[in-house]
């Protein structure tokens, strides 16, 4: 029996895609079918909840498929093996931007599963996402109107899935950074002169700002746990941060600054 391993949320015709393993024609067919399952069931859920169907965007499709293939090639669920949203120091927003997506709103669902039947695992993955509040919210986002999906299998037999939803109605921000909360409790983010955001336990948050921030400078901010003292940091444009520790003692480190 196929076994679901792990998945996470932070969020036109399908673009040409490569097989999860080169030279395996059947596997290539499975990849195409798995991607079709992700798309069909996502829009089925939206229809059942009075949401407009998402149209496939070729740029988001490239971003999603490349990310799935990269995870499969490295057989790695993100840089630390537990958060598939951040790989090679890049977040989902970085990947969409790198592919040239002009929209300022992007969300991603990712997952990994063991088994040989990619399309069947894609259906299982959708079922899990539907039951997870964060994943479900991304799938039913009222702000999203476009989608890209990806699927690939690794040499060890694991399947990796990626679904990116977005919209070009929202203009890209001038300043953006990503914060991944690896603690078991929510953390409050307060940026000087900006809004307050709550970063859920185990979730990824992308902070966007329209402010002009000079190169080499940053935005002052503080992260506050449920019970402990606030941690002050300077957020840098396009940087990715890891939040670890617990609800009384937070630790924040810059995971990387994605190469431009």
């Amino acid at each position: 029996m196929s076994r679901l391993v792990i998945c996470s949320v932070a969020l036109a015709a399908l673009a040409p895609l490569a097989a999860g393993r080169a030279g395996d024609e059947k596997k290539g067919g499975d990849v195409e079918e798995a991607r079709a399952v992700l798309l069909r069931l996502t829009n089925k859920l939206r229809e059942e909840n009075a949401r407009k169907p998402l149209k496939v965007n070729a740029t988001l499709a490239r971003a999603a498929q490349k990310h799935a293939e990269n995870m499969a090639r490295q057989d790695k669920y993100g840089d630390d093996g537990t958060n598939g949203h951040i790989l090679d120091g890049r977040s989902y927003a970085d990947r969409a931007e790198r592919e040239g997506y002009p929209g300022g709103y992007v969300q991603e669902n990712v997952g990994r599963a063991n088994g040989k039947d990619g399309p069947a695992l894609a259906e299982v993955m959708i079922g899990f996402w539907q039951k997870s509040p964060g994943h479900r919210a991304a799938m039913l986002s009222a702000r999203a109107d476009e989608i890209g999906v990806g699927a690939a299998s690794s040499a060890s037999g694991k399947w990796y899935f990626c679904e990116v939803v977005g919209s070009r109605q929202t203009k890209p921000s001038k300043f953006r950074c990503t914060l991944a909360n690896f603690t078991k409790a929510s953390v409050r983010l307060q940026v000087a002169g900006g809004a307050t955001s709550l970063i859920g336990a185990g979730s990824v948050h992308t902070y966007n700002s329209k402010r002009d921030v000079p190169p080499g400078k940053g935005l002052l901010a503080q992260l506050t746990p449920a019970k402990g003292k606030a941690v002050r940091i300077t957020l840098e444009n396009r940087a990715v941060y890891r939040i670890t520790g617990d609800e009384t003692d937070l630790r924040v480190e810059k995971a990387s600054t994605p190469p431009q």
Side-chain angles (χ1 to χ4, degrees):
M1 178 180 294
S2 299
R3 181 169 64 91
L4 186 66
V5 177
I6 188 170
C7 57
S8 59
V9 68
L11 205 189
L14 289 176
L17 42 96
R21 286 177 285 190
D24 188 337
E25 293 183 4
K26 181 180 183 303
K27 188 62 65 178
D30 286 349
V31 167
E32 292 188 40
E33 189 176 344
R35 292 178 75 189
V37 169
L38 294 177
L39 176 63
R40 175 173 57 82
L41 294 183
T42 295
N43 274 333
K44 181 174 182 291
L45 177 68
R46 290 180 67 86
E47 180 182 5
E48 293 170 349
N49 288 271
R51 289 281 192 266
K52 293 182 179 180
L54 300 174
K55 297 180 180 180
V56 175
N57 174 276
T59 304
L60 292 181
R62 284 198 307 273
Q65 185 60 26
K66 284 183 178 181
H67 184 46
E69 291 176 354
N70 192 19
M71 287 190 291
R73 182 168 49 252
Q74 298 186 47
D75 214 353
K76 190 177 181 182
Y77 193 66
D79 285 335
D80 70 343
T82 66
N83 189 323
H85 295 294
I86 300 174
L87 185 62
D88 298 332
R90 291 191 173 92
S91 69
Y92 53 89
D94 298 321
R95 289 186 288 273
E97 181 181 64
R98 192 182 188 195
E99 290 301 318
Y101 187 65
Y105 175 74
V106 178
Q107 292 292 318
E108 177 186 75
N109 285 337
V110 289
R112 178 180 68 184
N114 280 345
K116 297 181 179 180
D117 192 335
L121 290 174
E123 187 168 350
V124 171
M125 188 63 64
I126 286 289
F128 181 91
W129 288 346
Q130 289 183 29
K131 297 176 183 177
S132 165
H135 296 84
R136 186 181 182 88
M139 297 168 74
L140 293 176
S141 172
R143 294 179 62 187
D145 50 27
E146 298 179 317
I147 187 173
V149 295
S153 67
S154 68
S156 68
K158 297 183 183 70
W159 276 83
Y160 292 84
F161 301 99
C162 179
E163 176 177 89
V164 184
V165 301
S167 176
R168 286 175 282 178
Q169 301 302 314
T170 303
K171 295 182 179 180
S173 59
K174 296 179 180 179
F175 181 97
R176 185 189 74 240
C177 66
T178 301
L179 301 99
N181 182 6
F182 287 88
T183 73
K184 296 181 179 180
S186 296
V187 175
R188 189 172 301 279
L189 168 68
Q190 174 66 61
V191 180
T196 298
S197 304
L198 193 65
I199 308 175
S203 67
V204 177
H205 174 73
T206 298
Y207 176 79
N208 294 282
S209 175
K210 296 181 180 180
R211 284 186 277 178
D212 286 308
V213 180
K217 300 294 183 178
L219 297 177
L220 297 178
Q222 66 178 27
L223 292 161
T224 308
K227 300 178 180 179
K229 296 181 179 180
V231 176
R232 295 182 179 181
I233 60 173
T234 299
L235 300 177
E236 298 178 15
N237 196 17
R238 300 308 192 263
V240 177
Y241 296 88
R242 287 170 48 89
I243 306 170
T244 58
D246 54 40
E247 61 181 6
T248 62
D249 183 23
L250 288 184
R251 293 185 294 276
V252 184
E253 62 178 339
K254 186 167 68 172
S256 67
T257 300
Q260 299 301 310

